[in-house]
Amino acid sequence: MPQPIDNAPAPSALHRNRVILIALWLFFYASFTLLTPPLLDDADSVHSEVAREMLVRHDWVTLYANGIRYLEKAPLLYWSIAASFKLFGVHTASARLPLALTVLALALAMESFGRRAFGSARAGLYSALILLSSFGIFIFTRITIPDVAVCLWLTLGMLCYWLTEQQEHPSPLLCWGFAACCALDVLTKGLIGIVFPMLIVLAHLLLTRGVRRSITRIRQLFPLSSIILFLAIAVPWHVLIALANPTQGHPGNLSFSHGHWTVPGPTDGNVHGWLWFYFVNEQVLRYLNLRVPRDYDTVPLALFWGLLLIWLMPWSAYVFKAIASVPWMKSLRRQTLDASQSTLLLLGIWAALPMLFFSFSTRQEYYVLPTLPALTLLIAAWLAKEADETESFSVPNRLAIAGQRISVVLLILGSIAALAAGFFILHSQPPSPNTDLATMLRQNPGDYALSFGHFLDLDTRAMGAFRTPLIITAIALFGGTLLNWLLRLKYKPHAANLWLAAGAFGFLLAAHLGLQIFSPILTSYNLAEAIAPQLKPDDMIVINGEYESGSTLGFYLQRNNIHILNGRSSNLWYGSFFPDAPPIFEDNNSIRLKWTGVRRVFLWQSLDDPLPSLPTKAYFIAQSGGKEIVSNQASTY
């Protein structure tokens, strides 16, 4: 058994570090970033709307979006947003607050893990600083998706397990804490909430103890009571939603013919219940790329792995040194590991497993996130060890030399990025006042499967709108990497790391300002504000295309009865086949009839698509971000 690490940093250092971390979190995650930009179309506003409809329907079991059953997601994120709405009202900031608090909890958990695991307050500080300043954590908390919460429960679960490994006789509270984190993770993201932590723990036990000693150890971890606690937390919602959403009619079954599997789609009134759709379709068949409908794009494998370096930037420069510190070969040779090596092995397994798991399935770019806490801890451990070696003036100082070499690479990359930003600053002109950014973009619809893929539409002319973020980017990346290099040359790696973090936070500020400028392309908020003063309860709102294309209309106008023209697909598709689904789907014939009726119709329309054939004049109401709203009646305002 590994011997526990002596970890008792000074209370004053611990207090100072936590104050720094909370201040950084407050500025970058819990102030202006809660308020701006408005919620974006697609997942951001859809998930917030699901939470709002929880309150409207007084139903905390079955999720609904736009009045239709939304059965593919676990509930914990939506419960937290709905609770925030209940306390603070339905607003942009209250929709984002739960994720912001999740980031704070994750940062504090990372600080505790790093400090305890490596016996260093500095390692704890680095762990949380890297997490808070990493581009991936920041950018994927700009949209209301649950993946950062997956990171939190996985981190807390691994911390509980690591603490049990420091004890000859594990505490039942730690074992129950691990079980509770797994259950909460299941309620956050489904089966990976139990698959990831269990595989990581089993792999670590087998590599450090062998089969027989692993079985003995598992028996010491209070497995029966832990399983009971896990089931008590995770099972009730699953039972309730399965009972509330049974199979309807006579849906088809999965079949194998002509060398491949066939998954039949639902028809009106003939649809599998939640149990099949959630576990079989959304968990198993999605992993196998057999999910219905087959509208789920997957990130290419090379890009998936490469994005890991982007989401960790600029700290990804140290990731290879950090991974090299994991005693892979020693563990495979069944050699005895000390406490520090056992910890590094645990983090290495944790970092590798989610990436390998999704390498064999469909994947999105943010599926990388569960790996980031483990890599962050490994990087923090290496940086803390480098700083200790440098400050002790020990010889040979291999880590100090490696840190200096990496700082040169970072300076080169930072200089290139600053020069690129400077090029756009010098070769672009600020747009005229009130210019719609959408008119300056080139279209790359093939890239829109990526989150924020619309940013790839930017060209030299459009970059003129981003002069302020570009200036901040140039200063942050060049200044941070320059000071990092200079201070490492002077054998002051701790100060160098702090300046590198400052440059990373500067880049996050630039990224947020850039997102705010670009947001009209990604949201229909301005259109919702334009029609809100003249909208009456009986008026009809119609989205020409998929609901997700203009889903901010539903949230900001607080309407859960938006009609969809030629867009029965995506998130609303499966639930629309249940017998109680509202009749909100329109075709060309039905919209022509409604257009000539007495009821006022507001039609949301992308400027990239032709206006549907309408029997009478379409009156222009508003335009923003490459989208417009027209009506069958002239505006009286």
Side-chain angles (χ1 to χ4, degrees):
M1 173 182 169
Q3 294 302 310
I5 298 173
D6 181 20
N7 44 27
S12 59
L14 177 59
H15 177 74
R16 180 192 66 243
N17 290 350
R18 287 180 175 173
V19 169
I20 292 171
L21 296 173
I22 292 173
L24 288 169
W25 168 81
L26 189 64
F27 183 79
F28 284 96
Y29 289 88
S31 55
F32 60 93
T33 56
L34 288 180
L35 301 170
T36 58
L39 296 180
L40 310 179
D41 289 319
D42 207 348
D44 196 23
S45 53
V46 170
H47 293 175
S48 300
E49 173 61 16
V50 169
R52 189 189 72 83
E53 291 190 32
M54 274 188 173
L55 299 181
V56 172
R57 303 178 69 93
H58 305 289
D59 185 351
W60 294 67
V61 174
T62 302
L63 311 182
Y64 285 83
N66 199 38
I68 289 179
R69 299 176 199 236
Y70 185 66
L71 303 179
E72 53 257 58
K73 302 297 183 182
L76 194 56
L77 172 68
Y78 309 98
W79 287 344
S80 65
I81 299 174
S84 180
F85 288 160
K86 187 76 171 178
L87 291 172
F88 306 110
V90 180
H91 305 292
T92 302
S94 51
R96 292 184 172 134
L97 181 61
L99 279 185
L101 293 173
T102 300
V103 173
L104 175 61
L106 179 57
L108 295 177
M110 292 289 289
E111 188 279 331
S112 179
F113 205 148
R115 171 172 45 84
R116 291 168 181 267
F118 306 111
S120 164
R122 183 177 288 172
L125 175 64
Y126 289 164
S127 299
L129 268 183
I130 295 171
L131 179 104
L132 289 174
S133 63
S134 66
F135 183 60
I137 293 295
F138 182 79
I139 203 66
F140 288 117
T141 50
R142 302 309 92 211
I143 49 180
T144 53
I145 56 176
D147 295 78
V148 72
V150 173
C151 295
L152 172 63
W153 304 127
L154 187 55
T155 300
L156 290 174
M158 290 301 101
L159 177 57
C160 288
Y161 167 71
W162 179 83
L163 289 171
T164 65
E165 283 294 275
Q166 313 312 306
Q167 302 171 345
E168 184 175 354
H169 301 288
S171 164
L173 292 179
L174 291 174
C175 299
W176 298 336
F178 176 83
C181 289
C182 291
L184 292 170
D185 216 351
V186 168
L187 290 174
T188 300
K189 193 72 174 180
L191 292 180
I192 66 167
I194 185 66
V195 170
F196 284 176
M198 292 303 299
L199 287 180
I200 294 167
V201 167
L202 288 174
H204 184 256
L205 286 174
L206 289 172
L207 288 174
T208 55
R209 297 173 184 269
V211 176
R212 291 184 178 180
R213 292 179 62 209
S214 294
I215 294 172
T216 300
R217 184 61 173 176
I218 290 172
R219 289 173 177 169
Q220 296 175 338
L221 297 176
F222 301 91
L224 181 59
S225 57
S226 296
I227 290 172
I228 291 172
L229 178 62
F230 170 85
L231 295 175
I233 296 173
V235 166
W237 174 77
H238 291 82
V239 172
L240 291 173
I241 193 171
L243 293 174
N245 299 273
T247 295
Q248 306 283 325
H250 303 283
N253 296 312
L254 183 71
S255 62
F256 186 82
S257 62
H258 304 293
H260 62 85
W261 289 98
T262 301
V263 184
T267 59
D268 289 324
N270 298 290
V271 58
H272 286 287
W274 174 86
L275 202 61
W276 181 92
F277 182 73
Y278 183 78
F279 283 111
V280 178
N281 193 58
E282 291 300 308
Q283 311 279 326
V284 178
L285 296 183
R286 172 174 285 189
Y287 186 84
L288 299 173
N289 200 21
L290 294 173
R291 171 186 180 264
V292 292
R294 297 293 293 276
D295 62 351
Y296 201 73
D297 295 300
T298 185
V299 174
L301 185 60
L303 179 60
F304 180 69
W305 281 83
L307 284 171
L308 189 63
L309 302 178
I310 302 298
W311 303 148
L312 269 174
M313 64 180 291
W315 309 103
S316 48
Y318 301 95
V319 74
F320 299 106
K321 287 292 183 182
I323 292 174
S325 67
V326 179
W328 300 107
M329 296 308 299
K330 193 172 182 178
S331 64
L332 291 174
R333 291 168 183 162
R334 303 296 302 276
Q335 297 177 1
T336 302
L337 304 181
D338 61 27
S340 177
Q341 291 171 332
S342 178
T343 298
L344 292 172
L345 178 62
L346 173 64
L347 296 176
I349 296 169
W350 173 6
L353 193 141
M355 298 298 294
L356 293 173
F357 180 87
F358 287 122
S359 292
F360 298 97
S361 77
T362 58
R363 55 198 160 266
Q364 295 295 293
E365 60 273 28
Y366 48 85
Y367 287 6
V368 170
L369 262 62
T371 289
L372 296 190
L375 288 178
T376 295
L377 287 164
L378 286 171
I379 293 170
W382 191 90
L383 292 174
K385 191 173 181 180
E386 177 213 9
D388 291 342
E389 179 192 88
T390 305
E391 292 170 359
S392 67
F393 297 101
S394 60
V395 177
N397 52 358
R398 295 188 182 94
L399 297 181
I401 293 172
Q404 290 172 354
R405 291 173 177 172
I406 292 172
S407 71
V408 173
V409 174
L410 279 173
L411 178 59
I412 293 172
L413 295 176
S415 300
I416 293 172
L419 287 172
F423 172 83
F424 285 115
I425 293 168
L426 295 175
H427 291 81
S428 60
Q429 297 295 324
S432 302
N434 302 320
T435 298
D436 190 341
L437 181 60
T439 63
M440 305 169 65
L441 301 179
R442 55 186 175 87
Q443 298 297 311
N444 295 284
D447 296 320
Y448 299 161
L450 294 173
S451 299
F452 305 107
H454 284 271
F455 276 97
L456 299 176
D457 294 343
L458 291 170
D459 55 17
T460 304
R461 188 168 68 101
M463 291 297 280
F466 296 83
R467 293 173 66 85
T468 298
L470 286 171
I471 292 170
I472 296 174
T473 295
I475 295 172
L477 295 184
F478 179 71
T481 56
L482 176 63
L483 288 167
N484 175 54
W485 174 64
L486 290 173
L487 288 167
R488 273 191 158 82
L489 284 182
K490 296 180 179 180
Y491 294 92
K492 297 180 179 179
H494 179 62
N497 291 331
L498 297 182
W499 276 108
L500 188 59
F505 280 115
F507 177 72
L508 296 188
L509 177 61
H512 180 80
L513 293 176
L515 178 60
Q516 188 172 339
I517 294 168
F518 200 83
S519 65
I521 310 298
L522 305 175
T523 181
S524 299
Y525 170 78
N526 290 339
L527 298 178
E529 289 291 287
I531 67 173
Q534 48 188 303
L535 187 65
K536 297 178 181 178
D538 290 337
D539 292 343
M540 179 187 296
I541 302 172
V542 181
I543 293 176
N544 183 14
E546 292 184 342
Y547 171 70
E548 293 76 14
S549 301
S551 52
T552 40
L553 295 177
F555 179 81
Y556 284 110
L557 297 175
Q558 299 195 15
R559 299 284 291 261
N560 58 347
N561 59 352
I562 292 178
H563 286 235
I564 313 298
L565 173 61
N566 297 325
R568 189 178 183 180
S569 59
S570 197
N571 291 309
L572 302 187
W573 180 78
Y574 197 82
S576 70
F577 292 100
F578 279 81
D580 61 349
I584 61 171
F585 295 98
E586 308 289 348
D587 57 25
N588 292 332
N589 292 328
S590 66
I591 196 63
R592 287 171 64 87
L593 292 174
K594 290 180 170 63
W595 199 259
T596 55
V598 297
R599 189 178 183 185
R600 190 173 190 189
V601 178
F602 291 92
L603 176 65
W604 180 99
Q605 169 78 22
S606 171
L607 295 177
D608 296 329
D609 300 323
L611 193 69
S613 177
L614 299 170
T616 60
K617 181 178 180 180
Y619 295 92
F620 173 80
I621 303 298
Q623 179 180 320
S624 175
K627 305 172 285 286
E628 67 175 354
I629 287 185
V630 297
S631 178
N632 61 341
Q633 299 177 21
S635 177
T636 57
Y637 291 84

